[in-house]
């Protein structure tokens, strides 16, 4: 189907056509997609969110005076997040489109508040989210990346403090890190930043809502206390928390909190020196749909303390049970003791290839996310545990157990030497070279478009063996091929 060429004019037919396109998508509900999606498992919640979304999807938060319902709802969401995450009377915030946008804005505000620094820098741990590298790239801020403590995979406080220099405009800590699921020592990092008069941002995009809920309701997964991580920690100047993750709202909603309006001021972009309307932007977007704001408002109010408590309890039980049962699977090890709801798994010495395990899980209807080896940490598998996994932990761990056994029967994933030679001979910096390499790897279908195989382990192993810069070049080309009109990824 191409735009405007469709003869289906009835809504039911159009929706059926969308559903047909979605048939090969990963499931967004049911707990089998262990990254990307969050399922509260609460009946009626999606219907409410959809209706709220629809009611506001054409309203534009670009102008708060034109659509005052949107700043009203945004204010409520910010107040709720601030109350959950240690905010005080001075705390302010903004609803953004997602975690990356919140992180980008924290960096932009930190940079622009320090006009006196010609070459701004930020100190991040090696486990910080890629969003900070994106921010550095977009905003011309240099990164001082500090290796994590190899034993705990948490940020190394001494090394972070030592990396703060006169041009440092921001220090970043995670609660928790996406890749390893551990919380950085935030009080110590924030104190080191404050001692040098530098801002400290806590990236609690993924963990903020669930950690705040555990603390608020006295939930102690694995009998462990939630460590101090939020705006109540002295020295923390901003914090990002995504609503579209553990607040279970539809995608397109995150909150960036600042400890004061003064700290937030440089986040805003205001421009009137052109012939059009006064452009007053709180976020990177200008036109901003009211849909995600209204949907988030509806979900957060519908769930409330009662709903979030139940969800937080179920999630705590799920992650504790899954973590405990994974420990019994030979060939697999938990990389770091999870501080929140994320589990990173590595193979034991001589254990099966993790990329093959991911393929075996896919064959059993589960998506677990492969992560490449990085600075001494081996390749891993990432699992985001949500409320939807509660009461289904055994199925998940059984599938993982079987997958590990099945993977152990298989050879290391890879390609024959002549294929690798052909790939190496191609100039991966050009579209033709990339297409030739993809052809050698069997990734070009009859239509001439890129076609992904059912089993990704050989490709992942190849990418894993490459230096990050070469891998990025290849993936940039692949992304371009994947997003070409007419590419049909559904045909595998
Ligand atoms: C710690 C952390 N920061 C930032 C992000 C980026 O969030 P988004 O994908 O909503 O842009 C994520 C996403 O998982 C995350 O886990």
């Amino acid at each position: 189907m191409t735009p405007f060429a469709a003869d289906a004019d009835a809504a039911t037919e159009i929706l059926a056509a969308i559903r047909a396109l979605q048939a090969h998508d990963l499931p967004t509900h049911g707990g089998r997609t262990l990254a990307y999606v969050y399922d509260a498992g609460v009946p009626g919640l999606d219907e409410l969110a959809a209706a709220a979304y629809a009611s506001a999807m054409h309203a534009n938060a670009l102008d708060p005076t034109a659509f005052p319902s949107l700043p009203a709802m945004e204010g409520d969401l910010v107040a709720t997040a601030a109350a959950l995450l240690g905010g005080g009377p001075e705390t302010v915030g903004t609803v953004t489109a997602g975690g990356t946008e919140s992180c980008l804005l924290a960096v932009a505000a930190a940079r622009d508040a320090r006009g006196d620094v010609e070459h701004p820098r930020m100190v991040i741990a090696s486990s910080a989210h890629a969003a900070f590298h994106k921010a550095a790239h977009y905003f011309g801020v240099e990164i001082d990346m500090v290796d994590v403590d190899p034993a705990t995979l948490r940020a190394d406080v001494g090394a972070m403090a030592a990396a703060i220099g006169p041009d440092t405009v921001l220090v970043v800590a995670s609660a928790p890190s996406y890749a390893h699921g551990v919380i950085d020592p935030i009080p110590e990092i924030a104190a080191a930043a404050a001692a040098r008069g530098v801002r400290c941002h806590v990236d609690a995009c993924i963990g903020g809502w669930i950690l705040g809920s555990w603390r608020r309701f006295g939930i102690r997964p694995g009998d462990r206390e939630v460590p101090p991580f939020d705006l109540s920690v002295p020295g923390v100047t901003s914090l990002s928390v995504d609503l579209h993750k553990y607040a279970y709202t539809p995608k397109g909603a995150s909150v960036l909190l600042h400890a004061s309006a003064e700290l937030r001021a440089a986040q805003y972009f205001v421009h009137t020196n052109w012939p059009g309307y006064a452009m007053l932007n709180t976020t990177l977007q200008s036109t901003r749909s009211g849909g995600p704001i209204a949907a988030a408002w509806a979900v957060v109010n519908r769930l409330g303390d009662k709903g979030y408590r139940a969800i937080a309890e179920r999630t705590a039980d799920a992650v504790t049970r899954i973590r405990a049962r994974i420990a019994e699977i030979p060939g697999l090890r938990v990389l770091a003791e999870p501080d929140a709801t994320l589990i990173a798994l590595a193979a034991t010495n001589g254990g099966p290839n993790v990329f093959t395990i991911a393929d075996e899980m896919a064959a059993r209807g589960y998506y677990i996310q492969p992560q490449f080896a990085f600075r001494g940490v081996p390749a891993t598998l990432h699992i985001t545990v949500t409320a939807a996994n509660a009461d289904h932990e055994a199925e998940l761990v059984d599938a993982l157990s079987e997958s590990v056994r099945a993977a152990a029967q298989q050879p290391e994933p890879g390609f024959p030497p002549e294929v690798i030679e052909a790939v190496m001979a191609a100039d991966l910096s050009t579209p033709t070279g990339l297409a030739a390499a993809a052809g050698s790897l069997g990734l070009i279908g009859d239509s001439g478009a890129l076609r992904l195989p059912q089993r990704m382990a050989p490709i992942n192993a190849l990418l894993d063996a490459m230096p990050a810069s070469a891998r990025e070049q290849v993936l940039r080309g692949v992304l371009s091929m994947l997003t070409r009109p007419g590419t049909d990824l559904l045909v595998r």
Side-chain angles (χ1 to χ4, degrees), residues 38 98-101 103 129 131 176-178 203 205-206 242 244-245:
Y38 300 80
T100 299
E101 192 182 28
C103 297
H129 195 274
S177 61
Y178 182 84
D203 178 5
C205 279
I206 197 159
D242 293 355
H244 64 200
K245 294 192 169 81

Side-chain angles (χ1 to χ4, degrees), residues 32-364:
R32 284 176 162 251
T33 304
L34 293 146
Y36 305 129
V37 298
Y38 300 80
D39 174 13
V42 173
L45 196 63
D46 278 353
E47 290 74 9
L48 171 67
Y53 193 105
S55 75
M57 66 189 179
H58 293 298
N60 196 339
L62 162 60
D63 183 345
T65 63
F67 303 97
S69 62
L70 298 179
M73 287 188 274
E74 180 167 1
D76 287 348
L77 291 168
V78 166
T80 306
L84 189 65
L85 294 164
E90 300 298 313
T91 304
V92 294
T94 310
V95 173
T96 74
T100 299
E101 192 182 28
S102 291
C103 297
L104 289 175
L105 287 168
V107 174
R111 183 197 69 171
D112 290 351
R114 290 293 306 276
D116 57 313
V117 178
E118 200 180 341
H119 300 293
R121 311 182 71 86
M122 69 176 144
V123 174
I124 68 171
S126 53
S127 55
H129 195 274
F132 292 95
H133 295 269
K134 184 173 183 175
H137 176 71
Y138 280 4
F139 303 140
V141 176
E142 284 290 324
I143 284 186
D144 290 308
M145 187 163 81
V146 178
D147 273 324
V148 292
D149 176 321
T152 62
L153 301 179
R154 298 194 177 102
D156 175 336
V157 178
M160 296 278 285
I164 301 173
D167 293 339
T168 307
V169 298
L170 186 67
V171 174
V172 175
S174 306
S177 61
Y178 182 84
H180 306 143
V182 295
I183 301 176
D184 288 334
I186 286 164
E188 292 82 357
I189 293 172
R196 305 288 294 274
V198 174
R199 292 177 180 223
C200 174
H201 178 77
V202 172
D203 178 5
C205 279
I206 197 159
W209 202 274
I210 186 79
L211 291 169
S213 300
W214 284 350
R215 190 184 49 198
R216 182 177 175 95
F217 303 122
I219 300 166
R220 297 161 53 95
D223 217 20
R224 294 197 305 159
E225 205 75 63
V226 173
F229 73 98
D230 61 15
L231 280 168
S232 61
V233 173
V236 173
T237 51
S238 59
L239 178 146
S240 46
V241 55
D242 293 355
L243 301 176
H244 64 200
K245 294 192 169 81
Y246 284 96
Y248 295 94
T249 76
K251 301 232 179 307
S254 166
V255 175
L256 172 61
L257 297 172
H258 273 106
S260 70
E262 196 188 337
L263 286 162
R264 183 181 60 177
Q267 174 194 316
Y268 288 175
F269 181 84
V270 173
H271 194 84
T272 57
N273 194 18
W274 75 306
Y277 55 88
M279 196 160 96
L280 312 176
N281 293 163
T282 58
T283 70
L284 295 175
Q285 294 181 329
S286 191
T287 280
R288 191 157 65 107
S289 170
I293 298 172
W297 194 90
V299 168
V300 167
N301 280 294
R302 158 73 179 80
L303 290 173
D305 264 1
K306 192 160 163 250
Y308 282 119
R309 173 186 221 127
I311 287 172
E313 277 167 355
R314 286 169 64 72
T315 314
D317 288 347
V319 74
T320 310
R321 287 194 203 115
I322 292 169
R323 193 262 168 272
R325 288 214 43 207
I326 284 176
E328 294 162 13
I329 303 179
L332 219 51
R333 68 188 170 93
V334 174
L335 193 72
E337 205 46 52
D339 282 334
T341 51
L342 314 177
I343 306 177
L345 301 171
T348 52
N349 247 345
N353 183 282
V354 289
F355 302 129
T356 309
I357 298 173
D359 283 348
E360 289 295 332
M361 281 296 271
R364 288 166 178 78

Side-chain angles (χ1 to χ4, degrees), residues 422-423 426 431-441 444 481:
V423 171
T432 0
L434 258 177
S440 312
L441 294 169
I444 302 292
M481 289 182 183

